[in-house]
């Protein structure tokens, strides 16, 4: 009886050593195959469009676009693509944002050798994969919200503002950001002014500190 084709995987992480280790874990399984790699979120989006994988495994903290930003873009433009977040952050905020961005699962790097293969298979079966701490957080948060009759909190800034915040914090000029995002420098400046006002910050340095604090860039 012919075997089904392996799941075709895009792997995105800005650390080559991590990608190598994850690739070894995945390719030791006959039903999983890494067909493309990326070292930043924007490249992950481009590789997904070029290779049309079945599954994208995205780190959160990457240059250009974070894994969450890339997941939002891919969920919008590649609706058949399944997405897993692989991260070092055992953090409820990132976990909920990952679900909101369209990810089907959230796997911690610290236990990737134990959980990642099963997470890939569960995701391809159309089942969510959540590590135990995430399940507890999900249940606790929703129970608290339901008891208080509140909706999930809205994000403080828009997707576009988050994208510009990350690029500002990475040290890009307004012209460079405008070129990367195909918008005008004036539009970049307007978004930056909105960010400062919304977040109650004074300057680029404080924006950078905020971006580090919320995991958009690594310190």
């Amino acid at each position: 009886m012919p075997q089904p084709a392996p799941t075709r995987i895009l792997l995105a992480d800005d650390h080559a050593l991590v990608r190598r280790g994850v690739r070894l874990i995945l390719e030791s399984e006959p039903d999983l195959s890494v067909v493309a790699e990326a070292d930043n979120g924007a490249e992950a989006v481009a590789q997904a469009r070029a290779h049309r994988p079945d599954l994208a495994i995205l780190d959160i903290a990457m240059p250009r676009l974070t894994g969450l930003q890339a997941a939002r873009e891919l969920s919008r433009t590649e609706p058949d693509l399944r997405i897993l977040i692989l991260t070092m952050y055992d953090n409820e905020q990132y976990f909920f944002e990952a679900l909101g961005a369209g990810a089907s699962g959230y796997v911690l790097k610290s236990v990737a050798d134990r959980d990642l293969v099963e997470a890939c298979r569960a995701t391809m079966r159309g089942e969510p994969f959540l590590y135990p701490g995430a399940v507890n957080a999900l249940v606790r948060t929703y129970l608290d919200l339901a008891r208080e009759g509140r909706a999930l909190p809205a994000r403080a800034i828009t997707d576009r503002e988050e994208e510009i915040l990350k690029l500002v914090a990475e040290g890009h000029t307004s012209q460079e950001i405008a070129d990367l995002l195909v918008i005008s420098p004036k539009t970049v400046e307007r978004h930056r002014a909105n960010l400062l006002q919304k977040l109650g910050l004074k300057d680029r340095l404080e924006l950078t500190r905020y971006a580090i604090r919320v995991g958009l860039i690594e310190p």
Side-chain angles (χ1 to χ4, degrees), residues 169-184:
E170 288 176 352
H172 295 282
T173 66
S174 293
Q175 185 62 60
E176 288 169 342
I177 296 171
D179 293 342
L180 285 168
L181 301 181
V182 197
I183 57 178
S184 73

mmCIF file of all heavy atoms in Angstrom, residues 169-184:
data_model
loop_
_atom_site.group_PDB
_atom_site.id
_atom_site.type_symbol
_atom_site.label_atom_id
_atom_site.label_comp_id
_atom_site.label_asym_id
_atom_site.label_seq_id
_atom_site.Cartn_x
_atom_site.Cartn_y
_atom_site.Cartn_z
ATOM 1 N N ALA A 169 12.830 49.922 16.151
ATOM 2 C CA ALA A 169 13.663 49.392 17.229
ATOM 3 C C ALA A 169 14.903 48.679 16.688
ATOM 4 O O ALA A 169 15.935 48.623 17.364
ATOM 5 C CB ALA A 169 12.845 48.439 18.103
ATOM 6 N N GLU A 170 14.810 48.148 15.476
ATOM 7 C CA GLU A 170 15.974 47.506 14.857
ATOM 8 C C GLU A 170 16.956 48.526 14.283
ATOM 9 O O GLU A 170 18.015 48.159 13.780
ATOM 10 C CB GLU A 170 15.514 46.539 13.760
ATOM 11 C CG GLU A 170 14.869 45.278 14.316
ATOM 12 C CD GLU A 170 14.332 44.353 13.235
ATOM 13 O OE1 GLU A 170 14.320 44.750 12.045
ATOM 14 O OE2 GLU A 170 13.932 43.238 13.572
ATOM 15 N N GLY A 171 16.595 49.827 14.333
ATOM 16 C CA GLY A 171 17.521 50.869 13.927
ATOM 17 C C GLY A 171 17.343 51.382 12.510
ATOM 18 O O GLY A 171 18.170 52.148 12.014
ATOM 19 N N HIS A 172 16.271 50.985 11.829
ATOM 20 C CA HIS A 172 16.042 51.459 10.466
ATOM 21 C C HIS A 172 15.588 52.920 10.468
ATOM 22 O O HIS A 172 14.843 53.352 11.351
ATOM 23 C CB HIS A 172 14.978 50.600 9.777
ATOM 24 C CG HIS A 172 15.394 49.184 9.565
ATOM 25 N ND1 HIS A 172 16.250 48.796 8.558
ATOM 26 C CD2 HIS A 172 15.076 48.047 10.233
ATOM 27 C CE1 HIS A 172 16.442 47.492 8.612
ATOM 28 N NE2 HIS A 172 15.752 47.012 9.623
ATOM 29 N N THR A 173 16.004 53.685 9.460
ATOM 30 C CA THR A 173 15.534 55.053 9.301
ATOM 31 C C THR A 173 14.121 55.052 8.724
ATOM 32 O O THR A 173 13.640 54.033 8.209
ATOM 33 C CB THR A 173 16.443 55.836 8.343
ATOM 34 O OG1 THR A 173 16.326 55.259 7.026
ATOM 35 C CG2 THR A 173 17.890 55.784 8.788
ATOM 36 N N SER A 174 13.469 56.208 8.772
ATOM 37 C CA SER A 174 12.117 56.313 8.207
ATOM 38 C C SER A 174 12.127 55.973 6.713
ATOM 39 O O SER A 174 11.212 55.315 6.216
ATOM 40 C CB SER A 174 11.557 57.721 8.416
ATOM 41 O OG SER A 174 11.332 57.961 9.785
ATOM 42 N N GLN A 175 13.167 56.415 5.995
ATOM 43 C CA GLN A 175 13.245 56.123 4.562
ATOM 44 C C GLN A 175 13.417 54.626 4.328
ATOM 45 O O GLN A 175 12.797 54.044 3.419
ATOM 46 C CB GLN A 175 14.403 56.886 3.919
ATOM 47 C CG GLN A 175 14.481 56.717 2.405
ATOM 48 C CD GLN A 175 13.246 57.260 1.701
ATOM 49 O OE1 GLN A 175 12.925 58.441 1.806
ATOM 50 N NE2 GLN A 175 12.535 56.394 0.985
ATOM 51 N N GLU A 176 14.255 53.976 5.126
ATOM 52 C CA GLU A 176 14.462 52.528 4.980
ATOM 53 C C GLU A 176 13.166 51.768 5.262
ATOM 54 O O GLU A 176 12.823 50.814 4.550
ATOM 55 C CB GLU A 176 15.575 52.058 5.916
ATOM 56 C CG GLU A 176 16.964 52.499 5.493
ATOM 57 C CD GLU A 176 18.024 52.250 6.551
ATOM 58 O OE1 GLU A 176 17.662 52.055 7.745
ATOM 59 O OE2 GLU A 176 19.208 52.264 6.206
ATOM 60 N N ILE A 177 12.452 52.186 6.310
ATOM 61 C CA ILE A 177 11.179 51.530 6.639
ATOM 62 C C ILE A 177 10.175 51.751 5.518
ATOM 63 O O ILE A 177 9.464 50.823 5.105
ATOM 64 C CB ILE A 177 10.628 52.068 7.977
ATOM 65 C CG1 ILE A 177 11.571 51.701 9.128
ATOM 66 C CG2 ILE A 177 9.218 51.520 8.247
ATOM 67 C CD1 ILE A 177 11.235 52.375 10.453
ATOM 68 N N ALA A 178 10.130 52.954 4.989
ATOM 69 C CA ALA A 178 9.228 53.255 3.875
ATOM 70 C C ALA A 178 9.532 52.362 2.678
ATOM 71 O O ALA A 178 8.618 51.822 2.036
ATOM 72 C CB ALA A 178 9.353 54.730 3.482
ATOM 73 N N ASP A 179 10.823 52.175 2.382
ATOM 74 C CA ASP A 179 11.209 51.323 1.258
ATOM 75 C C ASP A 179 10.828 49.864 1.507
ATOM 76 O O ASP A 179 10.337 49.171 0.604
ATOM 77 C CB ASP A 179 12.717 51.418 1.008
ATOM 78 C CG ASP A 179 13.138 52.802 0.500
ATOM 79 O OD1 ASP A 179 12.252 53.549 0.031
ATOM 80 O OD2 ASP A 179 14.339 53.128 0.602
ATOM 81 N N LEU A 180 11.055 49.390 2.730
ATOM 82 C CA LEU A 180 10.742 47.996 3.062
ATOM 83 C C LEU A 180 9.245 47.709 2.978
ATOM 84 O O LEU A 180 8.829 46.641 2.514
ATOM 85 C CB LEU A 180 11.247 47.661 4.471
ATOM 86 C CG LEU A 180 12.756 47.468 4.639
ATOM 87 C CD1 LEU A 180 13.114 47.450 6.116
ATOM 88 C CD2 LEU A 180 13.203 46.167 3.971
ATOM 89 N N LEU A 181 8.433 48.665 3.427
ATOM 90 C CA LEU A 181 6.989 48.451 3.517
ATOM 91 C C LEU A 181 6.224 49.049 2.336
ATOM 92 O O LEU A 181 4.995 48.915 2.275
ATOM 93 C CB LEU A 181 6.456 49.049 4.831
ATOM 94 C CG LEU A 181 7.069 48.488 6.120
ATOM 95 C CD1 LEU A 181 6.430 49.148 7.335
ATOM 96 C CD2 LEU A 181 6.920 46.979 6.197
ATOM 97 N N VAL A 182 6.965 49.673 1.422
ATOM 98 C CA VAL A 182 6.372 50.290 0.221
ATOM 99 C C VAL A 182 5.286 51.298 0.626
ATOM 100 O O VAL A 182 4.138 51.239 0.181
ATOM 101 C CB VAL A 182 5.812 49.228 -0.762
ATOM 102 C CG1 VAL A 182 5.606 49.853 -2.131
ATOM 103 C CG2 VAL A 182 6.722 48.019 -0.857
ATOM 104 N N ILE A 183 5.669 52.189 1.527
ATOM 105 C CA ILE A 183 4.810 53.311 1.925
ATOM 106 C C ILE A 183 5.674 54.560 1.934
ATOM 107 O O ILE A 183 6.894 54.483 1.724
ATOM 108 C CB ILE A 183 4.158 53.087 3.311
ATOM 109 C CG1 ILE A 183 5.236 52.853 4.394
ATOM 110 C CG2 ILE A 183 3.181 51.923 3.273
ATOM 111 C CD1 ILE A 183 4.690 52.662 5.796
ATOM 112 N N SER A 184 5.090 55.719 2.168
ATOM 113 C CA SER A 184 5.870 56.958 2.150
ATOM 114 C C SER A 184 6.536 57.203 3.504
ATOM 115 O O SER A 184 6.021 56.765 4.549
ATOM 116 C CB SER A 184 4.964 58.144 1.808
ATOM 117 O OG SER A 184 4.129 58.443 2.915
#
